[in-house]
Amino acid sequence: MICRACRFDKCVKAGMRRECVQKRRSNKKVPKKHMLREAEIKMEIVDDFKYECPGDQTDDNSPLSVEKKSPPEFVPLDSPGMAEFKYDIPSTSTSIPQPERTPSPQSTEPETSKILNMNGEEVLRYYVDQLKSSMDRRRMIFTDDALLAVVEERGDMPFDATEPPPHSLKRQYESQRFDNLLAFDFCKSCPGFDLMDREERAIFYRACSLAYCLLDIAWITVQAYPEERHEPFMMYTDGSVCSINDMSYGWEDEEDIAAHEKKKLFLGFIQRFHDAICTPMRKIKMTPVEFAALKALCIWKLGYCEFTNSMRTIGKEHQNALFSGLRVYYEDLYESQEEIGARFGNLVLLLGTVFEMNCLIMETYKSAEVFRLFKLDELSKSLLTL
């Protein structure tokens, strides 16, 4: 990364003046209700992912496409080391020019969303902070070194992959309840949530609950096992694991369900999920900042068909802000516009696969509820009927 002194020198060479730097805007994350009036908003249904970056963009890469039955081709790129678990996002006080960019003569301040009252870098930072908070909370509940989350505010993956406990549906029942609590905390603090009515909040919460369960499993698995293994494992949000290629670990008989029934319900899905989500995340060496952005885009984009016009408007503001924040993040890491475009494309391609996984897991849980195959908590049952 470019140091601050080098950034300052480049700013001066580009013609920027210190006396023109504006004061930092308010960090208040609560949106202004009076800023959103649905009657005054003209909905424009456009391709939300036509951001300004090089590279071909065709309908084949549509984020809502569920026709792909195999993982898309991802461009392997060198990214910041995952072991560093770097969360640094460029400061929001000034814009950061690169040699290829010409600073705008009108303003040096990042564009701020009128609905969210936050600029792109602030929105991205919010989602990164939420990821760190969820990992620290899991450390508090499911590990023996909970105090580290208090004294160090680590924010990294909290589980030890050397001797993890076997997964079970009984453990999954408890961890799912905690995931639902994490999704609740996120919803309450999410910019734009206070603008929704009762039904909209329930729909949005379901999207968040799925993301905190499904996508966090992928992230935790990739962090626990950063390299491809001959005998891969899946790590869940409580730190328990199960084998993927066979039923050698984490597939034992339980009081309410036999091992062969679990195999019918979950083994095929877990294998598909690992190949379609975890493997591409390893291949592109996804950073924590990128995962936080991917998770946010999934929450706002994959429930688009169920969203009301107001929710779509808020969601579009989040998406635009996230892409803006990611561009600043990437431009601070990469000099090549081709690299930046490729990393944007990799994130967008993953959206379609995540949508397919969401549909499959919803069908599995609905079948489990109808035929009472395993125990579901009452909140999960309610979310299935929305």
Side-chain angles (χ1 to χ4, degrees):
M1 295 183 64
I2 303 174
C3 69
R4 293 183 179 180
C6 294
R7 282 195 204 131
F8 177 75
D9 291 339
K10 289 189 176 184
C11 290
V12 173
K13 291 179 181 178
M16 299 180 69
R17 294 182 296 173
R18 294 181 61 180
E19 60 271 19
C20 294
V21 176
Q22 300 181 14
K23 294 182 179 179
R24 178 189 289 266
R25 297 196 182 191
S26 172
N27 285 330
K28 186 177 181 182
K29 296 179 180 178
V30 179
K32 298 178 180 178
K33 290 187 178 182
H34 68 272
M35 297 299 293
L36 177 65
R37 285 176 170 78
E38 186 173 348
E40 299 176 359
I41 298 176
K42 296 181 179 180
M43 291 296 298
E44 297 179 1
I45 307 301
V46 298
D47 185 358
D48 294 327
F49 295 98
K50 287 185 179 179
Y51 44 83
E52 295 180 1
C53 69
D56 181 40
Q57 299 175 17
T58 65
D59 292 339
D60 293 337
N61 295 337
S62 170
L64 290 181
S65 172
V66 294
E67 297 299 323
K68 296 182 176 69
K69 298 304 179 182
S70 60
E73 289 298 323
F74 289 83
V75 181
L77 295 169
D78 292 331
S79 62
M82 298 179 71
E84 298 177 4
F85 213 74
K86 186 170 182 57
Y87 281 99
D88 292 344
I89 301 178
S91 171
T92 59
S93 59
T94 60
S95 54
I96 303 172
Q98 296 290 327
E100 298 82 6
R101 297 161 60 191
T102 302
S104 171
Q106 286 87 1
S107 172
T108 60
E109 193 74 20
E111 183 178 354
T112 300
S113 165
K114 295 181 180 179
I115 295 177
L116 307 179
N117 197 31
M118 301 167 68
N119 62 46
E121 295 163 70
E122 291 169 338
V123 171
L124 182 58
R125 188 185 300 276
Y126 164 77
Y127 284 107
V128 171
D129 288 343
Q130 290 297 309
L131 174 61
K132 294 171 63 177
S133 175
S134 67
M135 292 300 162
D136 281 340
R137 290 179 181 226
R138 289 190 173 106
R139 184 182 296 277
M140 289 287 296
I141 297 299
F142 297 114
T143 72
D144 296 330
D145 56 358
L147 193 60
L148 290 179
V150 179
V151 299
E152 296 184 10
E153 297 182 357
R154 296 170 62 99
D156 58 342
M157 198 281 290
F159 305 118
D160 185 3
T162 54
E163 295 183 0
H167 178 66
S168 67
L169 289 181
K170 183 177 180 180
R171 292 183 64 108
Q172 182 173 312
Y173 176 82
E174 297 299 331
S175 63
Q176 179 66 62
R177 297 181 66 188
F178 188 71
D179 291 338
N180 288 337
L181 178 60
L182 293 177
F184 167 80
D185 290 339
F186 166 77
C187 283
K188 286 295 185 179
S189 66
C190 183
F193 183 75
D194 62 336
L195 301 174
M196 302 178 191
D197 60 27
R198 289 170 57 89
E199 183 179 355
E200 291 171 339
R201 291 183 178 189
I203 294 173
F204 180 68
Y205 176 76
R206 181 169 69 178
C208 296
S209 180
L210 282 169
Y212 269 85
C213 175
L214 200 63
L215 282 177
D216 279 14
I217 289 176
W219 176 249
I220 289 172
T221 298
V222 171
Q223 292 294 292
Y225 309 106
E227 302 294 334
E228 290 290 342
R229 298 161 57 99
H230 179 66
E231 297 180 355
F233 286 89
M234 181 77 70
M235 180 172 283
Y236 292 81
T237 55
D238 64 343
S240 62
V241 304
C242 71
S243 55
I244 296 176
N245 291 342
D246 52 38
M247 298 179 63
S248 60
Y249 195 76
W251 294 95
E252 292 77 9
D253 290 332
E254 298 183 46
E255 182 178 349
D256 298 329
I257 187 170
H260 70 275
E261 291 293 337
K262 291 197 287 185
K263 177 181 179 181
K264 292 179 182 179
L265 282 172
F266 297 112
L267 184 58
F269 172 80
I270 289 174
Q271 291 172 342
R272 167 67 179 149
F273 180 79
H274 179 267
D275 292 342
I277 305 294
C278 299
T279 298
M281 288 172 63
R282 288 192 187 99
K283 187 175 182 180
I284 66 174
K285 299 181 181 179
M286 182 175 287
T287 68
V289 175
E290 289 176 312
F291 175 74
L294 172 66
K295 185 175 175 180
L297 290 171
C298 288
I299 289 173
W300 286 107
K301 189 61 181 175
L302 300 184
Y304 190 84
C305 296
E306 299 176 333
F307 286 177
T308 63
N309 284 350
S310 295
M311 296 177 71
R312 291 175 181 176
T313 302
I314 298 171
K316 189 172 181 179
E317 290 288 312
H318 276 268
Q319 294 164 33
N320 292 339
L322 283 165
F323 281 127
S324 175
L326 275 174
R327 173 163 286 282
V328 175
Y329 171 71
Y330 284 146
E331 288 177 340
D332 199 47
L333 293 175
Y334 309 108
E335 294 184 359
S336 170
Q337 291 297 308
E338 285 70 21
E339 284 184 293
I340 294 174
R343 295 204 74 85
F344 267 123
N346 287 336
L347 291 183
V348 173
L349 283 174
L350 268 173
L351 286 172
T353 310
V354 173
F355 179 78
E356 181 187 348
M357 296 296 104
N358 275 345
C359 294
L360 291 176
I361 197 64
M362 288 290 290
E363 291 175 4
T364 300
Y365 272 76
K366 286 179 179 179
S367 299
E369 170 60 12
V370 171
F371 298 105
R372 301 185 181 279
L373 300 176
F374 58 87
K375 186 178 180 181
L376 284 175
D377 64 276
E378 293 302 320
L379 178 56
S380 297
K381 294 178 182 178
S382 300
L383 295 177
L384 290 173
T385 60
L386 287 178

